[in-house]
Amino acid sequence: MNIKQLKAFKEVMITGSVSKAATNLFRTQPAVSAQLTSLENEIGMALFERREGRLHPVPEAEYLLCEAVEILDKIENLEDNLTR
């Protein structure tokens, strides 16, 4: 699991869309999809159910979102504190 995967996952969860997440992250849709797929492969479970062309997070995705937000916030704070 890496920072890029967590950022992509967080953005998809917040926006509800891979396309919107890609736009917000200044990435392509296939790049964000690849990050999600690699994250799912690494943790050994699907984070989303794909129904009617839309992503629906599984309950475990909500837990991961809470953890990812905390981790990403800590990294951002660390970067801010070290670059001052």
Side-chain angles (χ1 to χ4, degrees):
M1 189 176 311
N2 63 49
I3 294 169
K4 287 182 181 181
Q5 291 170 327
L6 291 179
K7 285 182 178 180
F9 168 74
K10 175 186 166 189
E11 200 62 33
V12 170
M13 287 290 288
I14 291 169
T15 63
S17 161
V18 175
S19 296
K20 288 178 188 173
T23 299
N24 292 350
L25 294 169
F26 304 102
R27 304 256 185 250
T28 64
Q29 181 273 330
V32 172
S33 291
Q35 291 293 333
L36 285 181
T37 299
S38 66
L39 177 59
E40 290 176 326
N41 289 339
E42 281 187 41
I43 64 173
M45 67 179 303
L47 294 168
F48 300 93
E49 293 177 353
R50 288 146 179 96
R51 298 186 307 239
E52 300 175 10
R54 301 210 34 102
L55 296 178
H56 298 274
V58 299
E60 294 83 358
E62 299 294 340
Y63 168 76
L64 180 58
L65 177 61
C66 291
E67 296 296 317
V69 167
E70 188 176 324
I71 291 165
L72 293 170
D73 285 348
K74 285 183 179 184
I75 291 170
E76 185 177 321
N77 288 337
L78 179 62
E79 290 172 344
D80 288 346
N81 289 333
L82 291 176
T83 57
R84 289 184 184 171

